[in-house]
């Protein structure tokens, strides 16, 4: 118990240091440049205390829950005994299918519930003047992330180089950008960032690293990362594809009329 | 007043749990239906889940109470003031400072240091681990600051976003060729990590505020796109960081 408290205060102190730059900048610009007092000072200070406290609690929970969940799931689902592999047998990438399904399930479920995606989806609906439906977009992005994580775990299992996938993805994005409705481009690029939330990042990172450690012949330092990159690239592709599709569908509809 | 606060507090807890809910459902389903094995350290993990939910809730509540309103007002006031240098300095500082405190980046930097020392890329004493993780965070934060500056310039000058993005991709590809293998995965991941809890709302506020103030810019079209730079630049900078270490 005492240890836990000492740990907590240590984390609290480091967290305070992490937040300090933001504090400095706000105070500097507000008081030195704009020469104005900070409005609602007491509320702001209380908010600052909450931020530091919350971040410290989150970091403790990270070690206790999010990292372990990712590691345990990767371990259990890639365990030869669970996969039904007899010792000495050559493992094929198809043996790991539960990992792909698990990654896809995590990707889909966390994305569909992601609050910032909901906000972006509503904005996309506004920009496109109703061509794009908010729910349709959310489902598209969630399917995109599910596919991305499944493909990302497949890449870890097979150990194929990450840059080939990313390069392929970029080429698709560039081609899509040429043809996509111009209004949606900036928004689509931004949507790549919103799918990877604070809760998913540590879990998915731990999953990838542990998986690369469990699959024979893989090196965590080279193969373990990359899942987040997949999860940030595919939403761009799926948003561009979806808006392109809806745009064309609309056009067809008007021509028919 | 007090009752309202309680209701709001309840809502915050609910939304923090909602973040975790899909993960819990999927993990429980796999444990019960697929794996049929006792979940190790179950109590520790449960305590951790509660800490994560509580921590995120307090964190976001705190941001909304203080940082977000001030940050938005500042961004708006500086955009209106019309001094380009000040605006760019502020943009850089905002990107840098919010990224340094980004929880997801803290998490991934820690893991990255652990993995690098386990594979013998850096020595495993705790001092080196700390330096490596901090250096990683600083290079990501610098890159986001830089990205926001470019993004602001883009909004001011009205450059089309896709030229910059495609140019950025080319640089990423070039860096991939010269960077050591061990950094590439981490660098690509860093792009997605930077843009979560703190950075997105403040940076979006800056972009939309700017586009509002400048004539002929639409907040919806020009206000966005800052985040896209903030996910591109870290890849380039982290690969540079890898060149420096390995």
């Amino acid at each position: 118990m005492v240890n836990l408290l000492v740990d907590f205060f240590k984390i609290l102190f480091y967290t305070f240091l992490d937040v300090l730059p933001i504090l400095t900048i706000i105070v500097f610009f507000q008081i030195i440049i704009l020469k104005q007092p900070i409005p609602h000072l007491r509320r702001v200070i209380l908010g600052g205390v909450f931020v530091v406290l919350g971040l410290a609690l989150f970091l403790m929970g990270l070690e206790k829950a999010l990292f372990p969940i990712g590691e345990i799931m990767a371990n259990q689902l890639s365990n030869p005994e669970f996969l039904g592999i007899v010792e000495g047998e050559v493992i094929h990438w198809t043996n790991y299918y539960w990992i792909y399904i698990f990654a896809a399930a995590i990707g889909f479920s966390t994305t569909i519930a992601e609050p910032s995606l909901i906000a972006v989806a509503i904005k996309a609906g506004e920009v496109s003047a109703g061509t794009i439906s908010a729910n349709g977009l959310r489902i598209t992005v969630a399917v995109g992330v599910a596919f991305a994580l499944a493909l990302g775990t497949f890449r870890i299992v097979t150990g194929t180089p990450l840059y080939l996938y990313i390069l392929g993805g970029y080429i698709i994005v560039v081609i899509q950008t040429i043809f996509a409705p111009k209004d949606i481009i900036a928004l689509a690029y931004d949507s790549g960032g919103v799918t990877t939330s604070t809760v998913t990042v540590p879990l998915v990172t731990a999953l990838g690293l542990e998986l690369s450690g469990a699959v024979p012949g893989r090196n965590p330092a080279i193969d373990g990362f990359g899942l987040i990159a997949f999860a940030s690239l595919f939403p761009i592709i799926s948003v561009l594809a979806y808006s392109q599709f809806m745009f064309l569908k609309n056009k067809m509809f008007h021509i028919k009329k | 007043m007090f009752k309202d606060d309680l209701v709001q507090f309840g809502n915050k807890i609910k939304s923090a749990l909602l973040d975790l809910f899909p993960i819990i459902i999927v993990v429980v389903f796999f444990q019960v239906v697929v794996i049929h094995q006792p979940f190790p350290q179950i109590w520790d993990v449960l305590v951790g889940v509660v800490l994560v939910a509580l921590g995120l809730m307090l964190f976001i509540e705190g941001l909304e109470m203080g940082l977000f309103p001030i940050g938005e007002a500042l961004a708006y006031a500086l955009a209106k003031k019309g001094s380009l240098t000040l605006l760019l300095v502020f943009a850089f500082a905002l990107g840098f400072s919010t990224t340094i405190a980004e929880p997801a980046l803290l998490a991934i930097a820690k893991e990255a240091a652990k993995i690098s020392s386990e594979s013998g890329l850096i020595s495993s004493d705790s001092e080196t681990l700390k330096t490596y993780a901090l250096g990683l965070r600083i290079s990501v934060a610098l890159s986001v600051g830089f990205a926001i500056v470019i993004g602001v310039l883009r909004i001011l000058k009205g450059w089309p976003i896709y030229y910059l993005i495609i140019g950025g991709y080319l640089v990423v590809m070039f860096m991939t060729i010269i960077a050591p293998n061990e950094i590439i995965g981490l660098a690509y991941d860093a792009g997605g990590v930077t843009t979560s809890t703190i950075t997105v709302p403040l940076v979006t506020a800056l972009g939309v505020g700017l586009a509002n103030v400048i004539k002929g810019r639409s907040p919806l079209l020009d206000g966005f796109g800052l985040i896209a730079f903030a996910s591109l630049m870290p890849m380039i900078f982290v690969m540079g960081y890898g060149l420096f270490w390995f």
Side-chain angles (χ1 to χ4, degrees), chain A residues 18 54 63 76 190 196 198 226 229, chain B residues 31 55 110 137 189 192 197 225 228:
Chain A
D18 289 333
E63 300 283 340
Q76 290 185 336
D190 273 4
T196 42
T198 315
Chain B
Q31 289 298 332
K110 223 175 178 175
R137 282 169 54 211
D189 274 0
T197 322

Side-chain angles (χ1 to χ4, degrees), chain A residues 162-172 233, chain B residues 169 173 188:
Chain A
L162 175 64
Y163 69 89
L164 287 180
Y165 292 81
I166 303 291
L167 180 67
Y170 281 172
I171 292 174
I172 295 175
L233 182 61
Chain B
Y169 283 171
M173 284 303 141
Y188 283 5

Side-chain angles (χ1 to χ4, degrees), chain B residues 3-229:
Chain B
K3 207 180 147 199
D4 280 358
D5 275 353
L6 262 185
V7 170
Q8 238 193 5
F9 202 70
N11 280 338
K12 286 274 152 53
I13 294 191
K14 215 171 80 191
S15 73
L17 282 176
L18 217 61
D19 253 7
L20 285 161
F21 197 58
I23 294 174
I24 294 171
I25 296 276
V26 171
V27 169
V28 167
F29 174 83
F30 268 76
Q31 289 298 332
V32 174
V33 179
V34 181
I35 299 179
H36 311 293
Q37 262 176 29
F39 196 80
Q41 320 151 22
I42 180 113
W43 292 111
D44 250 21
V45 169
L46 282 179
V47 170
V49 167
V50 172
L51 286 177
V52 165
L54 205 68
L56 268 185
M57 191 251 337
L58 273 174
F59 183 68
I60 290 168
E61 174 74 20
L63 287 178
E64 281 172 3
M65 278 172 75
L67 189 62
F68 286 170
I70 293 192
E72 278 168 31
L74 257 179
Y76 200 78
L78 282 166
K80 233 177 162 170
K81 219 168 175 236
S83 157
L84 183 63
T85 329
L86 265 185
L87 190 62
L88 292 183
V89 170
F90 178 70
F92 181 84
L94 192 71
F96 182 89
S97 64
T98 53
T99 307
I100 275 286
E102 194 68 74
L105 180 63
L106 276 160
I108 212 175
K110 223 175 178 175
E111 283 290 272
K114 206 178 88 195
I115 290 298
S116 304
S117 77
E118 276 167 12
S119 5
L121 292 165
I122 57 174
S123 64
S124 58
D125 59 292
S126 71
E127 210 43 50
T128 318
L129 285 185
K130 262 187 200 149
T131 322
Y132 179 83
L134 184 67
L136 188 66
R137 282 169 54 211
I138 290 179
S139 34
V140 174
L142 282 176
S143 71
V144 174
F146 187 59
I148 307 298
V149 167
I150 296 187
V152 166
L153 276 174
R154 177 191 86 86
I155 295 176
L156 292 176
K157 307 274 183 203
W159 296 329
I161 185 168
Y162 36 91
Y163 288 147
L164 290 167
I165 297 281
I166 292 170
Y169 283 171
L170 289 178
V171 179
V172 168
M173 284 303 141
F174 172 73
M175 289 298 284
T176 306
I177 298 168
I178 58 171
N181 266 339
E182 289 84 0
I183 201 76
I184 291 173
L186 177 62
Y188 283 5
D189 274 0
V193 170
T194 49
T195 48
S196 44
T197 322
I198 323 182
T199 321
V200 172
L202 278 183
V203 166
T204 308
L206 179 67
V208 173
L210 264 179
N212 258 327
V213 174
I214 303 163
K215 260 200 194 126
R217 297 278 181 280
S218 118
L220 279 176
L221 293 188
D222 298 299
F224 293 99
L226 284 177
I227 304 296
F229 293 114

